[in-house]
Amino acid sequence: MKKRLLGAVVIIGAVVAAGLFFASAPRPIDSASLPSHVANVANGELIYHIGGCISCHHPAKESGADMSLPSGGAAFVTPIGTLYPPNLTPDTTTGIGAWSDAAFVNAVQHGLSPSGEHYIPAFPYISYGRMTIEDVLDLKAYLKTLPAIVSAAKPAEIPFPWLVRRGLGLWKQVAVLPPVTNDPDQSVGWNRGAYLVNGPGHCAECHTPRNVAMMMDQGNALAGGPHPEGRGKVPSLRDLIGRQKYKDVDELAAALKEGEEGFFDDLVSGGMGEVQQNIAKLPDADIHAIAEYLGSLK
């Protein structure tokens, strides 16, 4: 009787394990799934800045490489280990120069490497997945205009890397968020701001608390939470005007554009200084749109 029970447990365990293994398998899109699109390099540059690509993909200072180019390699410390964001320049061997459009979309929006591995979600593909594919393709077109830098990626320093990456296939299916869509009851500027904040800007990745499964708590979106690198807290972006952080939307827009140079000191701590510098590169209309959206949150 005990042997039969043990055999049944083993069989059930094997079936469950096989089911989980299948469910966690990468599911990349192919080129046929992409829309017909003529790339807009200028828009791609805008997406590059609002996406903060250089903030994570800059080289390590000790490398002596050009810090203005996203050749990757700087250590990024996370609660599960140290990651080394890869080279985004168009080098064909160590960068994205040989990537197809589909491979780039799979990486940015689905968290999949060209070899089919799941990326660790320190790369904010959950938010980037809310972007339009056209914006992602424009970003790739802009990156292709940058100088090609040879900079091989360093492996992530995480425990049980294969198991962690494979398990993310299940995590993604639950963590995925819908695309950002326009609210017909709001202004054009508000909707643009909502898209920039929740899509390419990925503000929620730091400013939203997470549950025990490390998924963003959408019921408290942008309400602040623990710093993702495990040091201190990230403040709430809600009710910034009601709490008198800024007197109105125009002042909030000025803060996003000018930062410390405009004597807005609250925008320089916890990594926000780099974010503000990236936002400052956007057109004034987009900066004001971000402020309009953030200023409306209660």
Side-chain angles (χ1 to χ4, degrees), residues 4 6 25-26 55 68 70 87 110-111 129 141 149 167 188 195 203 206 237 275 289:
R4 280 191 295 224
L6 178 60
S55 296
S68 69
N87 184 359
H110 304 289
I149 306 296
V188 172
Y195 175 74
C203 303
C206 287
L237 295 180
V275 174

Side-chain angles (χ1 to χ4, degrees), residues 214-280:
M214 295 303 290
M215 297 173 191
M216 289 182 281
D217 176 4
Q218 292 305 296
N220 290 296
L222 301 175
H227 195 288
E229 293 184 19
R231 47 182 175 84
K233 293 186 176 182
V234 178
S236 171
L237 295 180
R238 291 187 166 273
D239 204 24
L240 292 172
I241 296 171
R243 290 188 286 124
Q244 298 183 337
K245 294 290 186 180
Y246 304 96
K247 66 180 182 181
D248 55 25
V249 168
D250 289 341
E251 185 175 73
L252 175 53
L256 292 171
K257 182 175 181 178
E258 299 170 13
E260 190 174 18
E261 292 181 0
F263 305 102
F264 295 100
D265 295 336
D266 288 347
L267 279 169
V268 299
S269 62
M272 190 61 198
E274 285 185 304
V275 174
Q276 182 273 318
Q277 290 168 18
N278 291 326
I279 292 175

Side-chain angles (χ1 to χ4, degrees), residues 59-104:
K61 291 181 180 179
E62 62 271 18
S63 70
D66 188 340
M67 296 296 290
S68 69
L69 294 173
S71 56
F76 184 74
V77 179
T78 77
I80 66 165
T82 301
L83 309 175
Y84 298 91
N87 184 359
L88 295 185
T89 75
D91 179 63
T92 55
T93 55
T94 65
I96 64 166
W99 287 27
S100 67
D101 286 350
F104 190 76

Side-chain angles (χ1 to χ4, degrees), residues 94-226:
T94 65
I96 64 166
W99 287 27
S100 67
D101 286 350
F104 190 76
V105 172
N106 277 318
V108 173
Q109 297 203 286
H110 304 289
L112 290 174
S113 74
S115 63
E117 281 191 323
H118 296 296
Y119 283 129
I120 304 297
F123 177 29
Y125 50 78
I126 296 299
S127 292
Y128 291 162
R130 310 187 76 182
M131 295 165 56
T132 66
I133 291 179
E134 289 81 1
D135 275 354
V136 177
L137 295 175
D138 288 348
L139 171 60
K140 179 174 182 283
Y142 171 70
L143 292 172
K144 293 274 282 186
T145 70
L146 300 178
I149 306 296
V150 177
S151 178
K154 294 176 64 174
E157 298 171 3
I158 56 175
F160 311 108
W162 183 87
L163 183 61
V164 169
R165 291 185 186 278
R166 186 71 188 203
L168 284 168
L170 297 173
W171 181 88
K172 287 180 190 178
Q173 294 181 39
V174 183
V176 67
L177 295 173
V180 181
T181 56
N182 284 344
D183 183 339
D185 294 327
Q186 298 290 350
S187 69
V188 172
W190 187 97
N191 279 300
R192 175 66 172 168
Y195 175 74
L196 293 175
V197 166
N198 294 300
H202 63 279
C203 303
E205 299 281 350
C206 287
H207 288 274
T208 296
R210 295 176 182 268
N211 59 27
V212 293
M214 295 303 290
M215 297 173 191
M216 289 182 281
D217 176 4
Q218 292 305 296
N220 290 296
L222 301 175

Side-chain angles (χ1 to χ4, degrees), residues 25-38:
R27 290 175 174 79
I29 64 168
D30 57 24
S31 297
S33 302
L34 299 179
S36 177
H37 178 63
V38 177

